Amino acid sequence: MVLCSSLLFTVSLATAPPPMEPTAPCPAPACVQADDDPADLLEDIMDEYQEANAELGQNYRSADEEQRKQILEVDLPKLSETYAQRVLKLTSAHPGTDVAWEGLSWIVSRARGAACQADALLQMFKDFSKDERIGDTCLTVARGPFTKSTVRALNKLIKDSPHKDVRGRATFALAMQYKGLEDQKGFIKQMSLVQKKFADVPYTRGTLGPVAEGAMFEVQRLQIGMVAPDIAGADLQGVDFKLSDYLGKVVVIDFWGNW
Amino acid sequence: MYPHERSLVKRLAGEPFALIGVNSDKDLEALQDVLLEENITWRSFWNGPEGTSGPISTQWNVRGWPTIYILDHEGKIRFKGPRGEAMDEAVDQLLAEMKA
């Protein structure tokens, strides 16, 4: 039980490097009973979730196709929602604390499909807008879900955050939100800002500059109906050729690898 | 994935069609055996020693493998992503359009 919970904690921490720094004074030990320490309560909820999730996973492996659909589309979101609600209740009782940070991060990054995920995100942006760790949350937000309330929250974060890395990642997330919402103008405006002002901000691997360049290229040059940009290079035997050598033919371009 | 692509290439031999790969294996030497074993006859660009971080996939913003684009005979991007049967249907549609 203890081992299991510490493992889970490692996982949730891994989504939020760098190491924890207290963002608000911890409650004085004297006024907290050992058995209702919010950190322990959160750990208990996560333990329970882990068990329920593992059980569902086991059911999934032995289920037929229809049951699998039921598990993926009904049971799993319901499970996420139930536990996300419990975590949200706990974090609301301890706003701005490390426990709140841990709990809200968990909902935002792990409880995919939970209806209260959006609430958790807005809460996080509100209570931790000055926190440097919120930059990691932005990278999660960049992958969706795409909503207007997320766009508003990101805009506010960009105004409020004193950290350049956070503003850069939030601007990148904002651009990706616009892309998801099919607002091409919004996307181009924000992604140009990333390129101009935040190219050196760290991304998961490397920096935002090349990522922004790729995303811009995709939106501006790789849409359906556009003439494909040419590719020039060597084949696997070292002979140079170009994609445009095949004009006049129907071409499937297959990005592949033997793995 | 190879069997499907092999059969597509075989079925459309002689048609105005080409399957062009962009290969992201880091080790080009080791890949030569795979080409022989899997009978991979279609041509591929090599994405270079950086593998999936190589120049072509980076420029095309490829984030998942495999990624598919289908171009018509004028070089226009017409489909993104179809695999399996959907890929065959898309190619057949474009070939039919071309002959119409």
Side-chain angles (χ1 to χ4, degrees):
Chain A
M1 183 84 167
V2 172
L3 179 67
C4 183
S5 70
S6 64
L7 272 178
L8 187 63
F9 241 73
T10 319
V11 171
S12 62
L13 278 173
T15 63
M20 306 287 295
E21 281 170 37
T23 54
C26 295
C31 56
V32 179
Q33 296 294 323
D35 57 351
D36 62 4
D37 178 346
D40 289 343
L41 291 174
L42 180 63
E43 216 168 309
D44 286 344
I45 298 174
M46 289 184 168
D47 275 350
E48 274 184 56
Y49 170 81
Q50 181 93 322
E51 274 173 39
N53 191 39
E55 197 184 316
L56 214 52
Q58 223 156 31
N59 293 347
Y60 183 83
R61 279 187 287 279
S62 60
D64 64 30
E65 203 169 321
E66 198 162 312
Q67 290 165 325
R68 285 188 169 194
K69 204 173 159 217
Q70 159 85 16
I71 290 172
L72 285 184
E73 289 175 9
V74 181
D75 299 347
L76 199 59
K78 206 166 134 194
L79 185 76
S80 296
E81 183 66 26
T82 307
Y83 282 87
Q85 288 287 2
R86 284 177 64 185
V87 172
L88 201 55
K89 202 172 156 200
L90 180 70
T91 57
S92 310
H94 305 277
T97 62
D98 271 351
V99 167
W101 171 266
E102 270 303 306
L104 293 171
S105 301
W106 180 82
I107 297 174
V108 168
S109 62
R110 307 278 304 280
R112 290 248 144 190
C116 65
Q117 207 180 25
D119 296 338
L121 185 66
L122 297 184
Q123 194 66 44
M124 209 167 170
F125 278 5
K126 194 164 150 265
D127 293 349
F128 295 95
S129 64
K130 306 277 197 289
D131 194 309
E132 199 162 5
R133 292 173 297 175
I134 201 88
D136 296 320
T137 314
C138 291
L139 295 184
T140 306
V141 168
R143 295 193 290 270
F146 307 106
T147 67
K148 286 191 174 154
S149 66
T150 310
V151 166
R152 278 194 296 275
L154 284 167
N155 269 312
K156 188 158 187 316
L157 184 63
I158 292 165
K159 276 203 199 95
D160 291 349
S161 177
H163 306 286
K164 185 190 167 193
D165 284 6
V166 171
R167 292 196 304 274
R169 288 165 165 214
T171 307
F172 173 73
L174 184 57
M176 296 309 283
Q177 284 284 326
Y178 281 130
K179 186 178 176 216
L181 293 168
E182 294 180 5
D183 178 344
Q184 191 169 340
K185 266 192 192 159
F187 167 84
I188 290 175
K189 188 177 164 200
Q190 297 304 324
M191 210 49 109
S192 315
L193 279 176
V194 174
Q195 285 183 298
K196 272 187 221 125
K197 289 166 66 180
F198 302 112
D200 58 342
V201 167
Y203 187 62
T204 45
R205 276 191 304 175
T207 57
L208 282 178
V211 187
E213 199 179 324
M216 282 286 251
F217 189 82
E218 189 185 342
V219 164
Q220 295 181 316
R221 301 287 309 278
L222 295 173
Q223 296 307 301
I224 285 177
M226 294 177 179
V227 171
D230 203 3
I231 302 175
D235 67 17
L236 303 179
Q237 285 73 43
V239 180
D240 284 335
F241 76 114
K242 288 193 198 124
L243 179 63
S244 54
D245 296 342
Y246 293 83
L247 266 175
K249 291 182 176 183
V250 174
V251 174
V252 169
I253 306 176
D254 183 349
F255 287 85
W256 69 286
N258 185 55
W259 52 74
Chain B
M1 101 191 201
Y2 303 131
H4 175 253
E5 282 152 9
R6 264 199 309 265
S7 68
L8 181 70
V9 167
K10 197 175 164 196
R11 180 168 70 83
L12 296 177
E15 296 281 338
F17 166 78
L19 175 60
I20 301 291
V22 179
N23 173 274
S24 288
D25 281 281
K26 286 183 180 173
D27 188 344
L28 195 53
E29 281 298 308
L31 188 64
Q32 301 301 329
D33 292 336
V34 179
L35 297 180
L36 283 175
E37 279 161 27
E38 298 284 349
N39 192 20
I40 296 173
T41 55
W42 54 93
R43 204 171 191 189
S44 288
F45 291 102
W46 187 45
N47 201 22
E50 289 171 285
T52 54
S53 305
I56 304 172
S57 64
T58 299
Q59 185 182 34
W60 283 59
N61 205 33
V62 174
R63 319 197 137 250
W65 278 262
T67 284
I68 302 289
Y69 281 86
I70 303 185
L71 317 183
D72 65 17
H73 66 284
E74 293 174 334
K76 269 192 203 141
I77 297 169
R78 296 291 298 276
F79 298 91
K80 290 188 195 184
R83 302 199 54 74
E85 271 178 43
M87 185 199 284
D88 288 21
E89 280 167 26
V91 170
D92 288 342
Q93 181 196 322
L94 295 180
L95 285 172
E97 246 177 57
M98 183 180 171
K99 288 169 191 164

